[in-house]
């Protein structure tokens, strides 16, 4: 199904990104791991090469820097010959009331969570358009569809809503090139980022859990199946779709 495909994962050093890398590795996908966390992706590369019969690249990359993204993609194409799958899994979060939010806070959130996704989609997309094949999966968030409570995070919510609309717009433009563009919107997931937040605000853990019909937070591995599906031939007729994986949170 995916054996022999070549994939780029941004944010590969994070909880969801590394889980996706494991999932792809199990299906025989050669991987390019992009992240600013050099030690994380080098360690992940070592683990994957020791446990799976795949090729793995670890490329330190700032997704907000067009030149560095272009350099990274060129390295991948030179090594693998092609890019079949792109997963944009990088992102940051922050809580700050709207009335106190600085312009710098706003700009950084939009730059990383939205501009960075656009740049990687555009640069990898040009390659996929030439090949008339590609699967792009952007990791958005249920926060792109609903307003979380009680934490104040309008810039995060806005950035993720932008990712969902970027996904739909690219899907419409690139369908004629046989490039499928979809997104996955996780709910509360026990990544290091969320775990750190819960350590500083432990009262939120029970509050949020009570709002999830399935009664638990997602593990990073809970997000992987949706990505595998959208990257596979089983989803050849799926494009412009945002697949929500939130334990039912947004159905209330």
């Amino acid at each position: 199904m995916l054996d022999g495909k070549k994939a780029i994962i941004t944010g590969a050093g994070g909880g969801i990104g590394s889980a996706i890398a494991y999932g792809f590795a199990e299906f025989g996908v050669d991987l390019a791991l992009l992240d600013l966390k050099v030690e994380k992706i080098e360690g992940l590369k070592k683990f994957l090469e020791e446990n799976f019969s795949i090729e793995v690249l670890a490329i330190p990359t700032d997704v907000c820097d067009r030149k560095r993204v272009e350099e990274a993609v060129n390295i991948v194409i030179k090594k693998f010959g092609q890019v079949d799958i792109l997963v944009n899994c990088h992102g940051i979060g922050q809580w700050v009331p709207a009335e106190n939010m600085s312009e710098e806070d706003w700009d950084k959130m939009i730059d990383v969570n939205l501009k960075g996704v656009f740049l990687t989609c555009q640069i990898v997309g040009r390659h996929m358009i030439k090949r008339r094949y590609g699967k792009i999966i952007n990791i958005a968030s249920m926060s792109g569809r609903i307003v979380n409570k009680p934490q104040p995070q309008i810039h995060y919510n806005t950035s993720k809503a932008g990712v969902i609309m970027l996904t739909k717009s690219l899907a419409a433009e690139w369908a004629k090139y046989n490039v499928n563009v979809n997104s996955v919107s996780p709910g509360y997931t026990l990544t290091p980022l969320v775990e750190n937040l819960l350590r500083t605000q432990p009262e939120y853990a029970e509050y949020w859990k009570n709002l999830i019909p399935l009664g638990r937070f997602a593990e990073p591995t809970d997000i992987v199946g949706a990505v595998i599906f959208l990257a596979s031939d089983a989803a050849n007729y799926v494009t412009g779709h945002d697949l929500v994986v939130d334990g039912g949170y947004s159905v209330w």
Side-chain angles (χ1 to χ4, degrees), residues 148-223:
N148 305 69
K149 59 180 183 179
Q151 67 272 28
Q153 53 179 39
I154 66 161
H155 51 347
Y156 180 82
N157 297 347
T158 301
S159 71
K160 291 302 186 177
V163 170
I164 294 170
M165 185 50 70
L166 172 69
T167 297
K168 293 176 179 290
S169 300
L170 288 176
E173 287 195 30
W174 291 352
K176 62 187 176 185
Y177 303 118
N178 195 36
V179 176
N180 297 59
V181 189
N182 294 287
S183 58
V184 172
S185 283
Y188 290 117
T189 305
L190 290 176
T191 63
L193 176 66
V194 171
E195 289 175 336
N196 286 337
L197 290 172
L198 292 178
R199 273 192 286 272
T200 61
Q201 303 278 354
E203 67 274 15
Y204 281 18
E206 210 53 41
Y207 180 84
W208 287 343
K209 197 179 291 184
N210 288 335
L211 295 174
I212 303 170
L214 286 183
R216 67 175 179 87
F217 296 111
E219 296 291 338
T221 50
D222 288 316
I223 313 304

Side-chain angles (χ1 to χ4, degrees), residues 50-89:
E50 289 174 350
N51 290 275
F52 301 95
S53 298
I54 61 172
E55 290 189 271
V56 185
L57 298 172
I59 309 172
T61 309
D62 180 354
V63 295
C64 297
D65 185 328
R66 172 179 292 278
K67 183 177 179 182
R68 290 186 65 180
V69 175
E70 288 175 340
E71 289 171 350
V73 173
N74 287 337
I75 289 170
V76 177
I77 293 172
K78 184 175 182 180
K79 176 67 175 179
F80 291 160
Q82 64 199 56
V83 180
D84 302 297
I85 302 160
L86 168 65
V87 180
N88 279 306
C89 196

Side-chain angles (χ1 to χ4, degrees), residues 3-16:
D3 188 47
K5 298 289 188 183
K6 319 296 181 184
I8 291 175
I9 304 174
T10 72
I16 295 176

Side-chain angles (χ1 to χ4, degrees), residues 126-134 176-179:
R126 288 169 177 164
H127 166 76
M128 291 178 168
I129 286 168
K130 288 179 182 177
R131 293 186 60 230
R132 293 298 194 271
Y133 179 85
K176 62 187 176 185
Y177 303 118
N178 195 36
V179 176

Side-chain angles (χ1 to χ4, degrees), residues 36-49:
L36 283 173
K37 303 168 190 166
V38 180
E39 290 184 6
K40 287 283 184 77
I41 56 174
E42 287 290 352
L44 181 57
K45 167 182 161 66
K46 184 174 185 294
F47 175 86
L48 294 174
E49 288 179 332

Side-chain angles (χ1 to χ4, degrees), residues 238-249:
V238 180
T239 198
H241 181 66
D242 180 49
L243 179 49
V244 180
V245 186
D246 66 354
Y249 183 99

Side-chain angles (χ1 to χ4, degrees), residues 15-27:
I16 295 176
S18 59
I20 292 169
Y22 295 147
F24 276 151
E26 290 176 340
F27 283 92

